[in-house]
Every structure is written in C-alpha cells, then in structure tokens.
Amino acid sequence: MFFDRPESGELSVLVHLNLSSEREPEDPREFEELAISAGGDPIAFITGSRDVPTAKFFVGTGKLEEIKQEVDSSGAGLVIFNHNLTPSQERNIEHVLSCRVLDRTGLILDIFAQRAQTHEGKLQVELAQLEHMSTRLIRGWTHLERQKGGIGLRGPGETQLETDRRLLRVRIKSILKRLAKVRVQREQGRRSRRRAEVPTVSLVGYTNAGKSTLFNRLTGADVYAADQLFATLDPTMRAFKVPEVGSVIFADTVGFISHLPHKLVEAFRATLDEASNATLLLHIIDASAEQRLENVERVDEVLNEIGAGDIPVLKIYNKIDLLDGVAPRIERNGDGKPLAIWLSAQDGRGVDLLPLALRELLSHDQIQGLCTLGHELARFRAQLFQAGAVLDETVRDDGASLLEVSLPRVEWLRLLKAAGLRSEQVLVQPVGPDAMEQSTLPG
C-alpha cells in the first residue's frame, strides 16, 4: 500500500525450516492449509533444517539458491515462509528472488482481510495490517523529492517515508479510537446481560473445528461456515432457549491457531472479550484431527493469554461422523457433572445432548417447586405458562391452581415485578414425593 514491492501471484512456493532452536515448531500441514485458505496455489514445498536462522536471509545461501531455482522454473510470483521474518530479511530475500515474499504473520493477516465482513472486523484487520506494515515502510515513492543538502537540492522538508509513517500513525490512532467505542458498546451490552442475569456461552476452539456449523444448527443462524481456516472472523450472537434455564446468549468467535500473532490478539481484543467475559465456554474440538491434543493445548494457551483461563469449560468433540464406531455421548466426572460431549454438528447426531448438559451446568440458580395461585392471580398464571415455566398443573376443589414451576430466579423476579407482586405473596415450596397428589386432598 505504502511501499513498492513486486506484485504477488497465485502460484506460490512454500518454505518451512525445522529449527532446532525452536521449542514449539510450526506445523507444515497447517501451513499448507493456511496458504490454500488465502487463495494461493502451492506448486512446491521446500523444507530444510538449521540450528538457528541466518540474520540476512533467514535461510542459508544454498537453500536460498534452491528457492530461487524453483521460482524461476515454475514462474511463481509469491514465496511464503512458515516463520516470522524481520523486515530486513523480507527485503533481502525479495531482492534475490525478484518476487514477493510473505511471512507467516503476513499470510494470516491476508486471510483475515479476506474474511472480515462487518465494519468492526474490517477495522480490526486494518489495524493489525497497519501495525505490521509500519516496520516495512522503505524505499517507497523514490521518484518524489526528498530532503537533500545544497542550494537547489532541498526538498519540501519531509521525506515521503516520513510522510508515510506520519499518515500511518494518524490512521492507527483513528482506528484505535473507533475500536475503543466498539469496546464501550460491547461492555454496555455485557453489563445489561449481567444485570438481567442472562448467561453468555461463547464457542471457542481451534480454527476449522466446526464452531460456526454447530452455532448455525443450534440457533438457526446463517453464519458463514466452510471447511477452511478462519472461515469466521466477525462475532455473531444469538439467543437460545435452554430447558429450565431460559434464554442463553450464544457467541460465535474467531478461531484460534498455534502461535496466533500478537498483533492479531491485540487487534481482535474487542472480539475475544466475548470469550473472556462468558459464563461458560464451549471448547469445540475436531475429534478427527490428528493433532487434536496439541490443538487443545494451543487453544488453552490463547484463553489464558486473553484472561479466560478460569472460566468453566464444556468440551465438545465434534465431527464424530468422520470417525468409525464413535457414538454420541456425554462424559461426566465423578460427581456426575458434564465434562464433554461427543457429537456431529454436520449431521446433527448428539446435538440434542448439548441443551441437556447446559441445563445441568447453568441451572444453579433456579426457582423450582410448587406454588398455589387463586382466581385473583389468573393473569400471573397465564404469564407463567407463556414463559414455559409450568411443568405440571392441578386444579384443587376450591378452584385454585397448584403449579409445579421451574425457571431462572431472574425470570421469576421479572414476572413478579411485571404483575405487581412481591415474593412473599407467591411462595414456592420445594417438590417432595407425591407433593402434587397430597396437595389436591380436600381441606
């Protein structure tokens, strides 16, 4: 945008080095999926091994010559490294290869730029791109006047590079202000939900684990879902009814990835805050993935980084339709509490188990029991039925209604307030054995 570089092409050469100095090496298969998700057409995958990268080219001169021969013979217009390169390394490699060079962070940024749909998402991507680009402004606009010494050789007082950097700073500051407003608006929404005591359930997980597919099946939403990395960037929220709990807000969030660039974590803070402020996290896991355990660990690392490490988690092992002999089920701990669910969001098997588990995990503050309503409270009785809170009803000999109710305490208090009633006017007694039968006896 602000500097001259060789034009990129669809044909790309992928480069991955196994560095003995790296404690957590990048996954070559995931790297290839990223390149394809960005719209690239990988025609060669060059690998190598080194103890440490070189300061000038990251790779050695022999490996660089191998890459150049592949670029020249194939006509590739783009070389992508599965590593983060310094600005000088990027420029040095480009000078030798005479084609565009992209590192891992730049590749992920490009995917994010393609996927962002909402105004907020586009702002977040632009912020991350500008911050990444700010260190790579060089040799731009060389045809324009620049500062020079001597009579008749002085420029306008500011080099084009300095102008570019100043414009970048202005734009970054503007985006930060607008994102700050977004954060304030989101926080107001979260405060409203907390006041109303509406639980928020955030779907988190490794990218392409099936979060959006499950979200759509549960809520009837039409969030874009595809078998590709980072199909979803923009957070979507929908209400969902959980039996005996009431309305729950589901939030679909951006997928995580190993070594998610710090610039993206910061830029998407407003989005990731939905996870860090949730009542419960649904950790969606691709049960068919070979790197399943590693992916779970990487998601846990990001959750800890954004301050969501202490939020209760229910693991969802998705894509059991791709496994042989795996049936839908709920895994429980020694106390009977749900820990994980095995299901398939694609064909719907086991999805009906999720509301049952959510009811157990979220119904800790419920009004459950029997209440007696006379004729004068017929309107309140109708409101309880409308809210779906009545499990059973028996009409006594005196015409009063004996209701077995179950609903969140906050919903109960709201209905009482709307009817102009106080809690002591409508008492709820715990349900005991044969309570309904005993309560219907004459006298």
Side-chain angles (χ1 to χ4, degrees), residues 67-88:
I67 298 171
K68 180 173 174 54
Q69 290 176 2
E70 185 62 48
V71 169
D72 292 342
S73 62
S74 64
L78 177 64
V79 174
I80 310 175
F81 281 73
N82 192 23
H83 311 273
N84 290 327
L85 305 176
T86 65
S88 61

Side-chain angles (χ1 to χ4, degrees), residues 150-166:
I151 298 174
L153 295 177
R154 293 185 179 91
E158 183 178 48
T159 67
Q160 187 61 43
L161 182 59
E162 290 168 342
T163 302
D164 292 343
R165 285 176 175 157
R166 177 171 52 79

Side-chain angles (χ1 to χ4, degrees), residues 30 43 49-50 108 121 164 173 191 193 201 205 223 233 238 242 249 266 270 279 317 372 439:
E30 180 185 86
I43 56 174
S49 299
R50 287 188 66 87
I108 296 175
D164 292 343
K173 187 178 294 185
R191 280 201 299 268
R193 293 196 294 272
V201 178
V223 172
L233 280 190
R238 293 287 188 277
V242 174
I249 299 297
E266 285 303 312
T279 309
Y317 289 96
T372 303
S439 299

Side-chain angles (χ1 to χ4, degrees), residues 6-13 38-42 75-80 99-102:
E7 292 185 2
S8 62
E10 295 299 318
L11 297 179
S12 54
V13 174
D41 182 12
L78 177 64
V79 174
I80 310 175
C99 72
R100 186 171 179 196
V101 174
L102 203 61

Side-chain angles (χ1 to χ4, degrees), residues 184-331:
V184 170
Q185 292 169 353
R186 286 191 178 277
E187 183 54 37
Q188 288 174 343
R190 282 191 287 267
R191 280 201 299 268
S192 298
R193 293 196 294 272
R194 282 196 292 266
R195 281 196 298 269
E197 296 188 30
V198 177
T200 300
V201 178
S202 284
L203 280 68
V204 300
Y206 209 74
T207 182
N208 201 28
K211 295 184 296 300
S212 295
T213 303
L214 179 61
F215 182 84
N216 289 342
R217 184 170 287 276
L218 286 170
T219 66
D222 57 353
V223 172
Y224 177 66
D227 185 18
Q228 58 187 16
L229 304 187
F230 297 119
T232 302
L233 280 190
D234 305 300
T236 306
M237 308 186 78
R238 293 287 188 277
F240 179 74
K241 282 278 189 180
V242 174
E244 300 181 19
V245 175
S247 290
V248 170
I249 299 297
F250 270 75
D252 189 18
T253 60
V254 62
F256 300 155
I257 196 170
S258 62
H259 306 146
L260 189 66
H262 188 71
K263 292 183 179 68
L264 286 176
V265 174
E266 285 303 312
F268 279 77
R269 177 67 62 181
T271 300
L272 295 173
D273 278 347
E274 294 299 341
S276 59
N277 287 277
T279 309
L280 175 70
L281 298 178
L282 296 186
H283 183 172
I284 316 300
I285 302 165
D286 182 352
S288 66
E290 294 182 12
Q291 306 288 329
R292 188 177 74 195
L293 296 178
E294 291 86 346
N295 292 349
V296 170
E297 291 177 0
R298 291 161 182 168
V299 171
D300 290 340
E301 289 174 5
V302 177
L303 290 175
N304 287 323
E305 185 176 349
I306 64 175
D310 295 329
I311 297 176
V313 176
L314 176 63
K315 291 183 177 179
I316 308 295
Y317 289 96
N318 188 26
K319 303 187 182 182
I320 63 170
D321 53 298
L322 302 179
L323 301 174
D324 294 328
V326 177
R329 67 183 189 275
I330 298 179
E331 288 184 5

Side-chain angles (χ1 to χ4, degrees), residues 20 23 27 34 39 52 107 122 127 132-133 137 146 157-158 179 183 186 197 233 276 313 324 338-339 349 360 371 408:
S20 57
R23 280 184 283 181
D27 184 358
L34 283 171
V52 293
L107 175 62
K122 291 176 181 177
L127 174 63
H132 182 68
M133 193 183 296
L137 293 178
R146 307 181 69 84
E158 183 178 48
L179 286 176
R183 291 191 180 98
R186 286 191 178 277
E197 296 188 30
L233 280 190
S276 59
V313 176
D324 294 328
L339 291 178
R349 283 187 294 156
E360 296 181 44
C371 65

